[in-house]
Amino acid sequence: MSFTMDLARRANAIRLDAVPGEAAYVARRAIADTIGVAIAGSRTCFIASLANVIGADGAQGTASCIGRKGAFSVLHAALINGTAAHALDFDDCSTAMAGHPSAPVVPAVLALAQERKATGRAVIEAYLAGVEVEVRLARAIMPHHYDKGWHPTATLGVFGAAAASARLLGFDDERMATTLAVAVSMAGGLKANFGTPVKPLHVGQAAHNGMLAALTVARGMSANHDAFDHNYGFFNVFNGAGTFSPEKALEDAPLAVLEPGLSVKQHPCCGSAHSAIDAAIALFRRHGPLDPRSIARIETWTHERRLVHTNRPQPCTGLDAKFSVQYLTARALLGGRISLSDFTKDRLKDGETAEMLGLVTSAAHREPDEYLGRVRVTLKDGTVLEEAASTRFGRGPENPMSDAELETKFVDCARNLHGEVAAHSLFASLMGIDHAEDICGLMTATAGQP
């Protein structure tokens, strides 16, 4: 049996009536959270530009674009919604995947489900299958894949979107395997574009391409089932000889959404900076807001794998600032939190922020806990204030967000487009998605007010 067929069988074996109830609960929360951050992300200027470029005017189609009125083709909806879901870098994370599992999968699932008038249970099943494929593949290729410069949310997200789409289309194991093999030639995304709008575009492409793979197979497309382990296949080309272990992807393990689980972001920025942020917030809570004029220097330490793409002492744009551990530490020390407003032009030009930022220097550590972050503030009078935190890209199973906290995050993301009352109502509907007989009305509601 080929690797591709073995992986396909595992994706198709997931059935909602046979998995722990906790898995469906995690899926509902993930879908709601992804839609929430996509609503906020839909307001970014490059989402409108993307829609204009591809001619997605909402004049015809069967799928809704989050934050946009009209009906779109399923492929355009997946592309735009996938990009919006990652636009603010506020979407959930997986430590095993070293990326964001839901953002490529949810837009593909919802677009196809709306077209096919699928039930909420079918949506959850497809979502679980998509995330399972992403994380299983990650076990085979990490950490070398990430260190080499690939963006796993894109390179693995395409397979999650493909598997989830295949499930909604009712594919058997043979066609599921073919879909995954087609998707091998549609994977891509480089870390060189972190801190730019291209990073979220990676995710939109993954959602689009994964669905495209499934739709072409539905019309007779074929592919080489050895596309993963061929000499010129995914493992050898994307990683290289001796840097992958396909057998790890096929080991018996709990569902990926349960172990290692998903981490929900509470800070709208790169997860690699969250430990430094949390250490800085702990200092704020203990000592209150610090006056930059009283500080001699601020030092941060994060793991070398985390610092390599967050070492940006002078960020130029809001997106760039989301990847600057120096900026994020400065803002956390000043305000005790990181919010969406910290990435506006006005905040970036703020004099007090600039003064605090100028005091921050960042270095790498190589300690066994690669999520460990330390912040040390040395005052001009010689007093040293220091805190450490180990945050695994967000609030994971060991420290989960409550439903109330998740709702607060959702409403914060959605209120500007939907209004306070409607945002609360939409969250409640999404948390009950498994009871929906047809998700069309639910998806139409994500468009928000005119």
Side-chain angles (χ1 to χ4, degrees), residues 175-240:
R175 289 190 296 170
M176 171 69 81
T178 302
T179 299
L180 294 174
V182 173
V184 165
S185 288
M186 297 181 171
L190 299 173
K191 284 163 56 178
N193 269 315
F194 279 18
T196 77
V198 179
K199 182 175 188 268
L201 180 59
H202 290 170
V203 183
Q205 279 187 302
H208 173 280
N209 290 352
M211 184 196 295
L212 179 61
L215 292 174
T216 58
V217 170
R219 297 296 183 94
M221 178 67 75
S222 61
N224 182 3
H225 280 199
D226 292 328
F228 282 98
D229 39 14
H230 189 278
N231 284 343
Y232 303 119
F234 182 81
F235 293 137
N236 276 304
V237 172
F238 277 72
N239 266 47

Short mmCIF file of all heavy atoms in Angstrom, two decimals, residues 175-240:
data_model
loop_
_atom_site.label_atom_id
_atom_site.label_comp_id
_atom_site.label_asym_id
_atom_site.label_seq_id
_atom_site.Cartn_x
_atom_site.Cartn_y
_atom_site.Cartn_z
N ARG A 175 -10.11 7.89 -4.28
CA ARG A 175 -10.17 9.28 -4.75
C ARG A 175 -9.60 10.25 -3.71
O ARG A 175 -9.05 11.30 -4.07
CB ARG A 175 -11.61 9.64 -5.12
CG ARG A 175 -12.06 8.95 -6.41
CD ARG A 175 -13.38 9.51 -6.91
NE ARG A 175 -14.47 9.23 -5.95
CZ ARG A 175 -15.68 9.76 -6.02
NH1 ARG A 175 -15.97 10.60 -7.00
NH2 ARG A 175 -16.60 9.44 -5.14
N MET A 176 -9.70 9.92 -2.43
CA MET A 176 -9.04 10.73 -1.40
C MET A 176 -7.54 10.72 -1.62
O MET A 176 -6.87 11.77 -1.58
CB MET A 176 -9.36 10.20 0.00
CG MET A 176 -8.56 10.85 1.13
SD MET A 176 -8.98 12.58 1.47
CE MET A 176 -10.45 12.35 2.48
N ALA A 177 -6.98 9.53 -1.89
CA ALA A 177 -5.54 9.43 -2.14
C ALA A 177 -5.14 10.22 -3.38
O ALA A 177 -4.11 10.90 -3.40
CB ALA A 177 -5.14 7.96 -2.28
N THR A 178 -5.94 10.15 -4.41
CA THR A 178 -5.64 10.89 -5.63
C THR A 178 -5.67 12.39 -5.37
O THR A 178 -4.83 13.15 -5.87
CB THR A 178 -6.63 10.53 -6.75
OG1 THR A 178 -6.58 9.12 -6.98
CG2 THR A 178 -6.31 11.25 -8.04
N THR A 179 -6.62 12.83 -4.58
CA THR A 179 -6.71 14.25 -4.23
C THR A 179 -5.45 14.71 -3.52
O THR A 179 -4.89 15.78 -3.83
CB THR A 179 -7.93 14.51 -3.34
OG1 THR A 179 -9.13 14.16 -4.06
CG2 THR A 179 -8.02 15.96 -2.93
N LEU A 180 -4.98 13.93 -2.56
CA LEU A 180 -3.75 14.29 -1.85
C LEU A 180 -2.55 14.30 -2.79
O LEU A 180 -1.67 15.16 -2.69
CB LEU A 180 -3.52 13.31 -0.69
CG LEU A 180 -4.56 13.34 0.43
CD1 LEU A 180 -4.30 12.22 1.43
CD2 LEU A 180 -4.56 14.69 1.13
N ALA A 181 -2.52 13.36 -3.73
CA ALA A 181 -1.42 13.30 -4.70
C ALA A 181 -1.44 14.51 -5.64
O ALA A 181 -0.39 15.05 -5.99
CB ALA A 181 -1.50 12.01 -5.50
N VAL A 182 -2.62 14.95 -6.05
CA VAL A 182 -2.73 16.17 -6.86
C VAL A 182 -2.21 17.37 -6.06
O VAL A 182 -1.46 18.22 -6.57
CB VAL A 182 -4.19 16.41 -7.30
CG1 VAL A 182 -4.32 17.77 -7.99
CG2 VAL A 182 -4.66 15.31 -8.24
N ALA A 183 -2.60 17.43 -4.78
CA ALA A 183 -2.22 18.57 -3.94
C ALA A 183 -0.72 18.67 -3.73
O ALA A 183 -0.21 19.77 -3.45
CB ALA A 183 -2.94 18.48 -2.59
N VAL A 184 0.01 17.56 -3.86
CA VAL A 184 1.46 17.61 -3.74
C VAL A 184 2.05 18.65 -4.69
O VAL A 184 3.00 19.37 -4.34
CB VAL A 184 2.08 16.21 -4.01
CG1 VAL A 184 3.58 16.31 -4.25
CG2 VAL A 184 1.80 15.27 -2.85
N SER A 185 1.50 18.74 -5.89
CA SER A 185 2.01 19.69 -6.87
C SER A 185 1.42 21.09 -6.71
O SER A 185 1.67 21.97 -7.54
CB SER A 185 1.74 19.17 -8.29
OG SER A 185 2.58 18.08 -8.58
N MET A 186 0.65 21.30 -5.65
CA MET A 186 0.05 22.61 -5.41
C MET A 186 0.52 23.23 -4.10
O MET A 186 0.01 24.26 -3.68
CB MET A 186 -1.48 22.48 -5.40
CG MET A 186 -2.05 22.02 -6.72
SD MET A 186 -3.84 21.91 -6.65
CE MET A 186 -4.24 21.64 -8.38
N ALA A 187 1.51 22.60 -3.46
CA ALA A 187 2.01 23.09 -2.18
C ALA A 187 3.06 24.17 -2.39
O ALA A 187 3.81 24.14 -3.36
CB ALA A 187 2.60 21.93 -1.38
N GLY A 188 3.13 25.11 -1.47
CA GLY A 188 4.15 26.16 -1.54
C GLY A 188 3.97 27.18 -0.43
O GLY A 188 2.99 27.14 0.32
N GLY A 189 4.91 28.08 -0.32
CA GLY A 189 4.87 29.13 0.70
C GLY A 189 6.18 29.24 1.44
O GLY A 189 6.61 28.29 2.09
N LEU A 190 6.83 30.41 1.34
CA LEU A 190 8.17 30.61 1.91
C LEU A 190 8.14 31.62 3.05
O LEU A 190 7.44 32.64 2.99
CB LEU A 190 9.13 31.10 0.83
CG LEU A 190 9.35 30.17 -0.36
CD1 LEU A 190 10.20 30.86 -1.42
CD2 LEU A 190 10.02 28.88 0.09
N LYS A 191 8.93 31.34 4.09
CA LYS A 191 9.00 32.23 5.24
C LYS A 191 9.62 33.59 4.91
O LYS A 191 9.52 34.53 5.69
CB LYS A 191 9.77 31.55 6.37
CG LYS A 191 8.97 30.48 7.09
CD LYS A 191 9.82 29.53 7.90
CE LYS A 191 10.68 30.22 8.91
NZ LYS A 191 11.45 29.24 9.73
N ALA A 192 10.24 33.70 3.75
CA ALA A 192 10.82 34.98 3.35
C ALA A 192 9.78 36.09 3.33
O ALA A 192 10.12 37.27 3.52
CB ALA A 192 11.47 34.86 1.97
N ASN A 193 8.51 35.74 3.13
CA ASN A 193 7.46 36.76 3.05
C ASN A 193 6.69 36.94 4.35
O ASN A 193 5.62 37.57 4.35
CB ASN A 193 6.50 36.43 1.91
CG ASN A 193 6.93 37.08 0.60
OD1 ASN A 193 7.28 38.26 0.59
ND2 ASN A 193 6.93 36.34 -0.48
N PHE A 194 7.21 36.42 5.45
CA PHE A 194 6.61 36.73 6.75
C PHE A 194 6.68 38.24 6.98
O PHE A 194 7.65 38.90 6.62
CB PHE A 194 7.37 36.01 7.87
CG PHE A 194 6.99 34.57 8.05
CD1 PHE A 194 6.33 33.86 7.06
CD2 PHE A 194 7.30 33.91 9.23
CE1 PHE A 194 5.98 32.52 7.23
CE2 PHE A 194 6.97 32.57 9.42
CZ PHE A 194 6.30 31.88 8.42
N GLY A 195 5.63 38.77 7.58
CA GLY A 195 5.59 40.20 7.84
C GLY A 195 5.07 41.02 6.68
O GLY A 195 5.09 42.25 6.74
N THR A 196 4.58 40.35 5.65
CA THR A 196 3.98 41.03 4.50
C THR A 196 2.62 40.40 4.21
O THR A 196 2.31 39.31 4.71
CB THR A 196 4.85 40.89 3.23
OG1 THR A 196 4.68 39.57 2.67
CG2 THR A 196 6.33 41.10 3.56
N PRO A 197 1.79 41.03 3.38
CA PRO A 197 0.48 40.45 3.04
C PRO A 197 0.58 39.13 2.30
O PRO A 197 -0.42 38.41 2.17
CB PRO A 197 -0.16 41.52 2.15
CG PRO A 197 0.50 42.79 2.54
CD PRO A 197 1.91 42.41 2.86
N VAL A 198 1.77 38.79 1.79
CA VAL A 198 1.91 37.52 1.08
C VAL A 198 1.77 36.33 2.03
O VAL A 198 1.30 35.27 1.63
CB VAL A 198 3.27 37.46 0.34
CG1 VAL A 198 3.44 36.14 -0.38
CG2 VAL A 198 3.36 38.60 -0.66
N LYS A 199 2.15 36.51 3.29
CA LYS A 199 2.01 35.40 4.24
C LYS A 199 0.55 34.94 4.36
O LYS A 199 0.27 33.75 4.21
CB LYS A 199 2.58 35.78 5.61
CG LYS A 199 2.51 34.63 6.64
CD LYS A 199 3.20 35.03 7.94
CE LYS A 199 3.31 33.84 8.88
NZ LYS A 199 2.17 33.74 9.79
N PRO A 200 -0.40 35.83 4.62
CA PRO A 200 -1.79 35.36 4.61
C PRO A 200 -2.27 34.87 3.25
O PRO A 200 -3.11 33.98 3.16
CB PRO A 200 -2.60 36.58 5.08
CG PRO A 200 -1.68 37.73 5.02
CD PRO A 200 -0.29 37.20 5.15
N LEU A 201 -1.71 35.45 2.17
CA LEU A 201 -2.07 34.96 0.83
C LEU A 201 -1.67 33.49 0.68
O LEU A 201 -2.37 32.72 0.01
CB LEU A 201 -1.41 35.81 -0.24
CG LEU A 201 -1.68 35.42 -1.70
CD1 LEU A 201 -3.18 35.46 -2.00
CD2 LEU A 201 -0.92 36.33 -2.64
N HIS A 202 -0.54 33.09 1.29
CA HIS A 202 -0.18 31.66 1.29
C HIS A 202 -1.36 30.80 1.74
O HIS A 202 -1.61 29.72 1.18
CB HIS A 202 0.95 31.39 2.31
CG HIS A 202 2.28 31.95 1.95
ND1 HIS A 202 3.33 31.97 2.85
CD2 HIS A 202 2.77 32.50 0.81
CE1 HIS A 202 4.40 32.49 2.27
NE2 HIS A 202 4.08 32.84 1.04
N VAL A 203 -2.04 31.26 2.79
CA VAL A 203 -3.10 30.45 3.39
C VAL A 203 -4.32 30.43 2.49
O VAL A 203 -4.98 29.38 2.34
CB VAL A 203 -3.44 30.99 4.79
CG1 VAL A 203 -4.49 30.12 5.47
CG2 VAL A 203 -2.18 31.06 5.65
N GLY A 204 -4.64 31.57 1.89
CA GLY A 204 -5.72 31.58 0.92
C GLY A 204 -5.44 30.65 -0.25
O GLY A 204 -6.32 29.92 -0.72
N GLN A 205 -4.20 30.65 -0.72
CA GLN A 205 -3.81 29.74 -1.79
C GLN A 205 -3.96 28.28 -1.37
O GLN A 205 -4.40 27.44 -2.16
CB GLN A 205 -2.35 29.98 -2.18
CG GLN A 205 -2.12 31.15 -3.12
CD GLN A 205 -0.67 31.18 -3.58
OE1 GLN A 205 0.25 31.27 -2.79
NE2 GLN A 205 -0.47 31.11 -4.88
N ALA A 206 -3.58 27.98 -0.14
CA ALA A 206 -3.68 26.60 0.35
C ALA A 206 -5.13 26.15 0.36
O ALA A 206 -5.46 25.02 -0.05
CB ALA A 206 -3.07 26.49 1.74
N ALA A 207 -6.03 27.01 0.85
CA ALA A 207 -7.46 26.67 0.87
C ALA A 207 -7.98 26.47 -0.56
O ALA A 207 -8.70 25.51 -0.85
CB ALA A 207 -8.24 27.75 1.59
N HIS A 208 -7.62 27.41 -1.44
CA HIS A 208 -8.04 27.35 -2.85
C HIS A 208 -7.48 26.11 -3.53
O HIS A 208 -8.21 25.35 -4.19
CB HIS A 208 -7.55 28.61 -3.55
CG HIS A 208 -7.74 28.64 -5.03
ND1 HIS A 208 -6.89 27.99 -5.91
CD2 HIS A 208 -8.69 29.25 -5.80
CE1 HIS A 208 -7.30 28.19 -7.15
NE2 HIS A 208 -8.38 28.96 -7.12
N ASN A 209 -6.18 25.87 -3.40
CA ASN A 209 -5.54 24.78 -4.12
C ASN A 209 -5.97 23.41 -3.62
O ASN A 209 -6.10 22.47 -4.40
CB ASN A 209 -4.02 24.93 -4.05
CG ASN A 209 -3.50 26.10 -4.86
OD1 ASN A 209 -4.24 26.73 -5.60
ND2 ASN A 209 -2.23 26.40 -4.71
N GLY A 210 -6.16 23.31 -2.31
CA GLY A 210 -6.62 22.04 -1.78
C GLY A 210 -8.01 21.69 -2.29
O GLY A 210 -8.28 20.54 -2.69
N MET A 211 -8.89 22.68 -2.30
CA MET A 211 -10.23 22.45 -2.85
C MET A 211 -10.16 22.16 -4.34
O MET A 211 -10.85 21.27 -4.86
CB MET A 211 -11.15 23.64 -2.58
CG MET A 211 -12.58 23.41 -3.05
SD MET A 211 -13.54 24.92 -3.17
CE MET A 211 -13.58 25.40 -1.45
N LEU A 212 -9.31 22.90 -5.05
CA LEU A 212 -9.16 22.68 -6.49
C LEU A 212 -8.72 21.25 -6.79
O LEU A 212 -9.22 20.62 -7.73
CB LEU A 212 -8.14 23.68 -7.07
CG LEU A 212 -7.85 23.57 -8.57
CD1 LEU A 212 -9.12 23.83 -9.39
CD2 LEU A 212 -6.74 24.55 -8.96
N ALA A 213 -7.81 20.73 -5.98
CA ALA A 213 -7.37 19.35 -6.16
C ALA A 213 -8.56 18.40 -6.07
O ALA A 213 -8.72 17.50 -6.91
CB ALA A 213 -6.32 18.99 -5.11
N ALA A 214 -9.40 18.59 -5.07
CA ALA A 214 -10.56 17.70 -4.90
C ALA A 214 -11.56 17.86 -6.04
O ALA A 214 -12.10 16.86 -6.56
CB ALA A 214 -11.24 17.99 -3.56
N LEU A 215 -11.81 19.09 -6.44
CA LEU A 215 -12.80 19.31 -7.50
C LEU A 215 -12.34 18.73 -8.83
O LEU A 215 -13.15 18.23 -9.62
CB LEU A 215 -13.07 20.81 -7.64
CG LEU A 215 -13.79 21.48 -6.47
CD1 LEU A 215 -13.88 22.99 -6.67
CD2 LEU A 215 -15.20 20.90 -6.29
N THR A 216 -11.04 18.79 -9.09
CA THR A 216 -10.56 18.21 -10.35
C THR A 216 -10.63 16.69 -10.32
O THR A 216 -10.93 16.05 -11.33
CB THR A 216 -9.12 18.66 -10.65
OG1 THR A 216 -8.26 18.28 -9.57
CG2 THR A 216 -9.04 20.15 -10.88
N VAL A 217 -10.37 16.10 -9.17
CA VAL A 217 -10.49 14.65 -9.04
C VAL A 217 -11.94 14.22 -9.24
O VAL A 217 -12.23 13.19 -9.86
CB VAL A 217 -9.95 14.17 -7.69
CG1 VAL A 217 -10.29 12.68 -7.44
CG2 VAL A 217 -8.44 14.37 -7.62
N ALA A 218 -12.87 15.04 -8.76
CA ALA A 218 -14.29 14.74 -8.96
C ALA A 218 -14.65 14.70 -10.44
O ALA A 218 -15.60 14.02 -10.85
CB ALA A 218 -15.15 15.78 -8.24
N ARG A 219 -13.86 15.41 -11.26
CA ARG A 219 -14.09 15.44 -12.71
C ARG A 219 -13.13 14.53 -13.47
O ARG A 219 -13.01 14.65 -14.69
CB ARG A 219 -13.97 16.88 -13.22
CG ARG A 219 -15.01 17.84 -12.66
CD ARG A 219 -16.42 17.47 -13.09
NE ARG A 219 -17.40 18.41 -12.63
CZ ARG A 219 -17.85 19.45 -13.34
NH1 ARG A 219 -17.38 19.65 -14.55
NH2 ARG A 219 -18.76 20.26 -12.84
N GLY A 220 -12.42 13.65 -12.76
CA GLY A 220 -11.62 12.65 -13.44
C GLY A 220 -10.11 12.84 -13.42
O GLY A 220 -9.38 12.06 -14.04
N MET A 221 -9.61 13.86 -12.74
CA MET A 221 -8.17 14.07 -12.67
C MET A 221 -7.48 12.87 -12.01
O MET A 221 -8.00 12.30 -11.05
CB MET A 221 -7.86 15.34 -11.89
CG MET A 221 -6.37 15.64 -11.71
SD MET A 221 -5.54 16.05 -13.25
CE MET A 221 -6.15 17.73 -13.53
N SER A 222 -6.31 12.51 -12.50
CA SER A 222 -5.54 11.43 -11.89
C SER A 222 -4.17 11.97 -11.48
O SER A 222 -3.77 13.07 -11.90
CB SER A 222 -5.37 10.26 -12.86
OG SER A 222 -4.68 10.67 -14.03
N ALA A 223 -3.46 11.22 -10.65
CA ALA A 223 -2.15 11.63 -10.17
C ALA A 223 -1.38 10.41 -9.70
O ALA A 223 -1.96 9.33 -9.49
CB ALA A 223 -2.28 12.66 -9.05
N ASN A 224 -0.10 10.58 -9.49
CA ASN A 224 0.77 9.51 -9.03
C ASN A 224 0.62 9.32 -7.53
O ASN A 224 0.94 10.23 -6.74
CB ASN A 224 2.23 9.85 -9.37
CG ASN A 224 3.20 8.76 -8.96
OD1 ASN A 224 2.81 7.70 -8.47
ND2 ASN A 224 4.49 9.02 -9.16
N HIS A 225 0.15 8.16 -7.09
CA HIS A 225 -0.04 7.91 -5.67
C HIS A 225 1.28 7.82 -4.91
O HIS A 225 1.28 7.79 -3.67
CB HIS A 225 -0.87 6.64 -5.45
CG HIS A 225 -2.34 6.87 -5.63
ND1 HIS A 225 -3.30 6.02 -5.14
CD2 HIS A 225 -3.02 7.86 -6.27
CE1 HIS A 225 -4.50 6.46 -5.47
NE2 HIS A 225 -4.35 7.58 -6.15
N ASP A 226 2.40 7.80 -5.61
CA ASP A 226 3.71 7.83 -4.96
C ASP A 226 4.26 9.25 -4.87
O ASP A 226 5.46 9.45 -4.65
CB ASP A 226 4.71 6.96 -5.73
CG ASP A 226 4.36 5.48 -5.65
OD1 ASP A 226 3.82 5.05 -4.61
OD2 ASP A 226 4.63 4.75 -6.63
N ALA A 227 3.39 10.24 -5.01
CA ALA A 227 3.84 11.63 -5.09
C ALA A 227 4.49 12.14 -3.80
O ALA A 227 5.24 13.12 -3.84
CB ALA A 227 2.68 12.55 -5.47
N PHE A 228 4.21 11.50 -2.66
CA PHE A 228 4.88 11.91 -1.43
C PHE A 228 6.28 11.31 -1.32
O PHE A 228 7.23 12.00 -1.01
CB PHE A 228 4.05 11.49 -0.20
CG PHE A 228 2.89 12.39 0.08
CD1 PHE A 228 1.62 12.05 -0.34
CD2 PHE A 228 3.06 13.58 0.77
CE1 PHE A 228 0.54 12.87 -0.09
CE2 PHE A 228 1.99 14.42 1.02
CZ PHE A 228 0.72 14.06 0.59
N ASP A 229 6.41 10.00 -1.58
CA ASP A 229 7.69 9.34 -1.31
C ASP A 229 8.50 9.00 -2.56
O ASP A 229 9.51 8.31 -2.49
CB ASP A 229 7.47 8.08 -0.47
CG ASP A 229 6.23 7.29 -0.85
OD1 ASP A 229 5.66 7.56 -1.92
OD2 ASP A 229 5.84 6.41 -0.08
N HIS A 230 8.12 9.51 -3.69
CA HIS A 230 8.88 9.37 -4.93
C HIS A 230 10.23 10.08 -4.78
O HIS A 230 10.40 10.99 -3.95
CB HIS A 230 8.07 10.01 -6.07
CG HIS A 230 8.59 9.76 -7.44
ND1 HIS A 230 9.62 10.50 -7.99
CD2 HIS A 230 8.22 8.88 -8.40
CE1 HIS A 230 9.86 10.09 -9.21
NE2 HIS A 230 9.02 9.09 -9.50
N ASN A 231 11.22 9.67 -5.58
CA ASN A 231 12.51 10.36 -5.56
C ASN A 231 12.37 11.86 -5.78
O ASN A 231 13.15 12.66 -5.25
CB ASN A 231 13.45 9.78 -6.64
CG ASN A 231 14.01 8.44 -6.25
OD1 ASN A 231 13.98 8.06 -5.08
ND2 ASN A 231 14.54 7.70 -7.22
N TYR A 232 11.40 12.23 -6.59
CA TYR A 232 11.13 13.64 -6.84
C TYR A 232 9.78 14.05 -6.23
O TYR A 232 9.09 14.91 -6.76
CB TYR A 232 11.14 13.92 -8.35
CG TYR A 232 12.45 13.54 -9.01
CD1 TYR A 232 12.50 12.59 -10.01
CD2 TYR A 232 13.64 14.16 -8.61
CE1 TYR A 232 13.71 12.23 -10.60
CE2 TYR A 232 14.84 13.82 -9.19
CZ TYR A 232 14.88 12.85 -10.19
OH TYR A 232 16.08 12.52 -10.75
N GLY A 233 9.45 13.42 -5.12
CA GLY A 233 8.18 13.68 -4.47
C GLY A 233 8.29 14.69 -3.34
O GLY A 233 9.35 15.30 -3.11
N PHE A 234 7.21 14.87 -2.62
CA PHE A 234 7.11 15.92 -1.60
C PHE A 234 8.21 15.81 -0.55
O PHE A 234 8.88 16.80 -0.23
CB PHE A 234 5.73 15.84 -0.93
CG PHE A 234 5.50 16.91 0.09
CD1 PHE A 234 5.12 18.19 -0.28
CD2 PHE A 234 5.67 16.64 1.45
CE1 PHE A 234 4.90 19.18 0.67
CE2 PHE A 234 5.47 17.62 2.40
CZ PHE A 234 5.09 18.89 2.02
N PHE A 235 8.39 14.63 0.02
CA PHE A 235 9.36 14.49 1.11
C PHE A 235 10.78 14.82 0.66
O PHE A 235 11.50 15.57 1.33
CB PHE A 235 9.31 13.07 1.68
CG PHE A 235 8.03 12.73 2.39
CD1 PHE A 235 7.43 11.50 2.20
CD2 PHE A 235 7.44 13.62 3.27
CE1 PHE A 235 6.25 11.17 2.86
CE2 PHE A 235 6.27 13.32 3.93
CZ PHE A 235 5.67 12.08 3.72
N ASN A 236 11.20 14.28 -0.46
CA ASN A 236 12.57 14.49 -0.91
C ASN A 236 12.82 15.90 -1.42
O ASN A 236 13.89 16.48 -1.20
CB ASN A 236 12.92 13.48 -2.02
CG ASN A 236 13.37 12.15 -1.45
OD1 ASN A 236 14.32 12.09 -0.66
ND2 ASN A 236 12.70 11.08 -1.82
N VAL A 237 11.84 16.47 -2.11
CA VAL A 237 12.03 17.80 -2.69
C VAL A 237 11.88 18.90 -1.64
O VAL A 237 12.69 19.82 -1.56
CB VAL A 237 11.05 18.03 -3.86
CG1 VAL A 237 11.12 19.47 -4.35
CG2 VAL A 237 11.38 17.07 -5.01
N PHE A 238 10.86 18.81 -0.79
CA PHE A 238 10.61 19.86 0.19
C PHE A 238 11.55 19.76 1.39
O PHE A 238 11.87 20.78 2.01
CB PHE A 238 9.15 19.83 0.65
CG PHE A 238 8.21 20.55 -0.27
CD1 PHE A 238 7.88 20.01 -1.51
CD2 PHE A 238 7.65 21.76 0.07
CE1 PHE A 238 7.01 20.66 -2.37
CE2 PHE A 238 6.78 22.43 -0.78
CZ PHE A 238 6.47 21.88 -2.01
N ASN A 239 11.93 18.55 1.77
CA ASN A 239 12.82 18.36 2.93
C ASN A 239 14.23 17.96 2.52
O ASN A 239 15.18 18.63 2.84
CB ASN A 239 12.24 17.31 3.88
CG ASN A 239 11.41 17.94 4.98
OD1 ASN A 239 10.57 18.78 4.70
ND2 ASN A 239 11.66 17.54 6.21
N GLY A 240 14.35 16.83 1.84
CA GLY A 240 15.66 16.31 1.46
C GLY A 240 15.94 15.00 2.15
O GLY A 240 15.41 14.71 3.22
#
